[in-house]
Amino acid sequence: MPEPSSIQKSAIRKRGQVGERLATLCVWAVALLVSLVFFWILIDLFLGGVRHLSLSFLFEAPRDAGRAGGIAPILVASLEIVAVCMLVALPIGIGTAVWLAEYAGDRNRLGRLVRRSLDVLASVPSIVFGLFGSAFFCLQLGLGFSILAGGLTLACMVLPIFIRTAEEGFRAVPQAYRLGAASLGISRTSTLFRILIPSALPALSAGFVLGVGRALAETAALIFTSGYVSRMPESLLDSGRAMSVHIYDLAMNVPGGNDNAFATALVLLLLLLLINASFAWISQHHLSHGASQS
Amino acid sequence: MKRFLVLTVGLLLLSLGSWIGWKTISRAQNRRLVLTGSSTIAPLAVEIGRRFEALHPGLRVDVQTGGSSRGIADARRGIADIGMASRRLKTSEKELLVHTIARDGICMVLHAGNPVSSLSDSQIVGIYTGKIQNWKEVGGKDAAIFVLNKAEGRGTLEVFLKFFGLENPSIHADAIVGDNEQGIKTIAGNPNAIGYLSIGTAEYDQKHGVPIKLLPSHAVQASTETLAAGTFPISRPLNLVTKGVPSGIAKTFIEFCQAKDVHDLIKAHYFVPATR
């Protein structure tokens, strides 16, 4: 924290030091409390799960309703669900964000309608998406309980967050870039692919990571769409149990499943941290790389 | 640039579509049996399904949860080949065929040294709601009662609450235990404790020398025999339901679930195999 200047110091003195100190203390305490909660969860998960975590836990199939064995098929199914989700969400999301930020102005009626519906969608509880996915993808489109249906349901859920983050990213690109490109006679499409998307990449990857995080952590939307089957998925049309569904089942439904629930939760957390870190690294690396090029 | 983009996206979609199509065809080669419903039965059905798959190569048993009512609804609408329901069917659901595979029952358990040998339903309700605090009020020693309750989300808790007409927040417990084994250890180590446990586990441990006592209910002795016969009152059936008489692999699977081959799996889940 930078030292306040002498003028600020005297101002503080005038207003009464006690109240000011108290406010400072409160802000610090609240900030500490937030990280305390995070570390508490982390340490609790670590202590509960690390004893049961081993390499074989990651490569074995669950046995005895998940009380014994590992989580290999569940890990594979989770990654497939997230892959389907992001493969669908990325092109639709970037497309919509580009349209919202670059083509539809602030006063465009359709633009406002799209934004409003996205905001409503973003606050819809995930179980509603689950029931929608179950009714639409599983029954109406006949996908049944499948990884594909789960991934598509998650894509619907992740899209609103991803689009709004990406849109903000495009809006943050300075207007001078677009004017400069236009004055050089560069087409709108080339401007988009050569200038706007690279400039908005940090925001895009932030939105992507947020989306992946939400998708990986999802239980309610998946239990009725991608399902409960803990066999190794053979295709995207197979039902596959996601990690969060597995944790929920072990912790709440299977007597004696607590240990492996902890271990699975720990794997999920580590996976999320890994994804976060690698994306932070990629966008950092890309940024410095791009800067040195230009 | 634009043309190139359209072409790439088109090709990608085409390959994705054909890949899914191919997978659908290749999947059709595997015959598939879908079960949905009760989350109490689901973990057991997964294990039985795994053994069944090993005996019948090329066959897949897919188990999905969602609760007993969903299992019944799915079986009725034909979305599932077999529904799972861990309760008796209501009169409005009677058109479905019921195949009981096991029973889940609980009994009150005391320390073996406790002189009390039976408790009425109202006495049990009194103890669990805190109205009866001392063993001498129900004919025992002068000692405070140590009440054990199950953690939220346990199947035995549901059965217990439903049978005695209690709500979980109204229970005054001295300790909350998770699984059956934890409950048995607590009771075996405390002469003044009372708890309720899955009958299968309690009986197993009592026979293996753990100092606990299983209380009768409505004068029916608590044992896996009375449970299997359906005479022990605090119990529920674990049912598979089908719309009409099952045929083909559904029939084979239901018969397999009721056969002796899976009794070890049923017992491993603290249930009692149903006798036919």
Side-chain angles (χ1 to χ4, degrees):
Chain A
M1 220 173 59
E3 278 291 310
S5 70
S6 59
I7 301 166
Q8 280 173 318
K9 269 183 185 165
S10 62
I12 289 168
R13 221 165 280 140
K14 269 176 207 159
R15 265 185 249 139
Q17 273 189 324
V18 184
E20 204 64 30
R21 284 233 176 113
L22 206 68
T24 317
L25 197 74
C26 283
V27 174
W28 273 86
V30 171
L32 272 177
L33 198 69
V34 170
S35 42
L36 190 75
V37 170
F38 171 67
F39 282 108
W40 191 331
I41 294 175
L42 197 68
I43 290 168
D44 200 38
L45 273 183
F46 197 79
L47 290 181
V50 79
R51 277 177 292 129
H52 310 282
L53 205 58
S54 62
L55 214 57
S56 62
F57 186 72
L58 296 179
F59 292 108
E60 269 178 24
R63 291 191 316 274
D64 194 13
R67 279 177 282 231
I71 52 165
I74 288 143
L75 200 59
V76 170
S78 298
L79 294 177
E80 285 186 13
I81 291 166
V82 172
V84 169
C85 162
M86 292 327 277
L87 264 174
V88 173
L90 266 185
I92 300 178
I94 293 183
T96 315
V98 164
W99 182 78
L100 279 175
E102 305 297 326
Y103 291 81
D106 285 331
R107 267 179 236 128
N108 185 312
R109 269 221 188 125
L110 186 61
R112 270 190 297 180
L113 182 75
V114 170
R115 256 180 231 117
R116 187 64 51 81
S117 25
L118 285 176
D119 288 344
V120 172
L121 272 182
S123 58
V124 167
S126 53
I127 182 69
V128 177
F129 281 102
L131 293 176
F132 162 75
S134 170
F136 184 66
F137 295 119
C138 299
L139 295 179
Q140 199 75 34
L141 298 188
L143 294 175
F145 284 98
S146 62
I147 287 171
L148 194 62
L152 291 173
T153 308
L154 281 190
C156 297
M157 211 180 84
V158 160
L159 267 174
I161 314 167
F162 180 65
I163 293 172
R164 291 315 294 266
T165 324
E167 189 198 345
E168 289 311 314
F170 284 117
R171 281 178 187 276
V173 177
Q175 194 62 27
Y177 286 21
R178 296 182 187 89
L179 297 176
S183 66
L184 288 173
I186 301 174
S187 75
R188 224 170 166 182
T189 321
S190 300
T191 311
L192 179 66
F193 281 98
R194 297 289 166 83
I195 297 166
L196 294 178
I197 290 186
S199 310
L201 207 63
L204 292 180
S205 63
F208 185 82
V209 168
L210 273 177
V212 169
R214 193 161 181 207
L216 262 180
E218 192 45 52
T219 313
L222 289 179
I223 195 155
F224 296 142
T225 52
S226 63
Y228 185 77
V229 173
S230 57
R231 190 190 316 116
M232 182 63 85
E234 289 156 351
S235 83
L236 288 186
L237 287 164
D238 263 353
S239 167
R241 195 189 291 192
M243 287 171 86
S244 43
V245 173
H246 190 57
I247 295 169
Y248 173 75
D249 190 55
L250 282 182
M252 303 306 285
N253 196 33
V254 176
N258 250 359
D259 292 341
N260 275 351
F262 264 115
T264 314
L266 191 61
V267 173
L268 180 60
L269 195 75
L270 292 178
L271 193 65
L272 278 171
L273 289 178
L274 189 76
I275 290 171
N276 265 327
S278 53
F279 264 88
W281 184 80
I282 286 172
S283 69
Q284 200 76 32
H285 183 77
H286 180 90
L287 279 184
S288 59
H289 192 68
S292 65
Q293 244 184 355
S294 54
Chain B
M1 184 76 198
K2 227 178 205 167
R3 196 174 293 167
F4 172 72
L5 199 78
V6 169
L7 208 73
T8 324
V9 171
L11 269 176
L12 264 175
L13 283 179
L14 200 75
S15 51
L16 186 76
S18 51
W19 180 73
I20 289 171
W22 182 76
K23 279 291 181 184
T24 318
I25 295 163
S26 66
R27 192 177 83 139
Q29 289 168 352
N30 282 332
R31 280 175 307 159
R32 196 165 286 261
L33 192 67
V34 177
L35 280 78
T36 70
S38 162
S39 59
T40 311
I41 308 176
L44 171 65
V46 168
E47 291 302 316
I48 295 179
R50 187 182 316 230
R51 193 171 282 180
F52 192 71
E53 284 174 3
L55 291 174
H56 301 80
L59 197 74
R60 296 282 176 267
V61 180
D62 280 4
V63 178
Q64 308 291 354
T65 56
S68 298
S69 300
R70 174 161 187 163
I72 289 164
D74 283 358
R76 213 183 232 169
R77 290 166 65 191
I79 296 167
D81 301 300
I82 299 171
M84 302 178 285
S86 54
R87 58 170 169 81
R88 291 183 181 86
L89 294 199
K90 295 169 186 160
T91 40
S92 60
E93 300 161 345
K94 284 291 181 200
E95 89 270 14
L96 291 168
L97 264 182
V98 173
H99 318 269
T100 304
I101 58 169
R103 291 193 157 268
D104 181 19
I106 59 160
C107 61
M108 305 309 297
V109 176
L110 307 179
H111 189 271
N114 196 320
V116 175
S117 58
S118 74
L119 290 169
S120 70
D121 287 357
S122 59
Q123 282 173 326
I124 292 167
V125 170
I127 289 171
Y128 270 83
T129 49
K131 288 185 193 91
I132 299 172
Q133 302 265 1
N134 198 301
W135 279 114
K136 70 179 177 193
E137 293 173 60
V138 289
K141 296 176 292 188
D142 182 13
I145 302 175
F146 189 83
V147 178
L148 280 183
N149 196 20
K150 281 299 186 84
E152 198 77 55
R154 297 284 163 177
T156 43
L157 172 73
E158 277 170 46
V159 181
F160 175 79
L161 294 178
K162 204 166 181 191
F163 183 80
F164 289 103
L166 290 167
E167 303 263 346
N168 204 23
S170 68
I171 287 180
H172 293 257
D174 296 301
I176 308 277
V177 291
D179 53 38
N180 282 307
E181 286 303 325
Q182 195 186 351
I184 284 181
K185 284 182 190 105
T186 315
I187 296 170
N190 186 340
N192 300 316
I194 181 170
Y196 54 89
L197 297 164
S198 177
I199 289 179
T201 332
E203 194 183 60
Y204 174 88
D205 282 312
Q206 194 192 30
K207 279 179 184 159
H208 287 75
V210 180
I212 52 169
K213 179 194 283 186
L214 281 61
L215 291 190
S217 174
H218 298 196
V220 179
Q221 204 198 340
S223 72
T224 39
E225 284 80 41
T226 56
L227 185 57
T231 49
F232 192 76
I234 323 178
S235 76
R236 57 176 169 176
L238 304 184
N239 292 328
L240 298 182
V241 296
T242 51
K243 187 181 174 185
V245 182
S247 59
I249 48 171
K251 181 168 178 272
T252 324
F253 182 74
I254 290 171
E255 280 167 0
F256 185 68
C257 287
Q258 292 174 326
K260 282 216 164 59
D261 310 33
V262 298
H263 280 189
D264 58 321
L265 293 177
I266 292 175
K267 283 171 189 160
H269 285 81
Y270 308 115
F271 302 137
V272 177
T275 47
R276 275 190 288 170

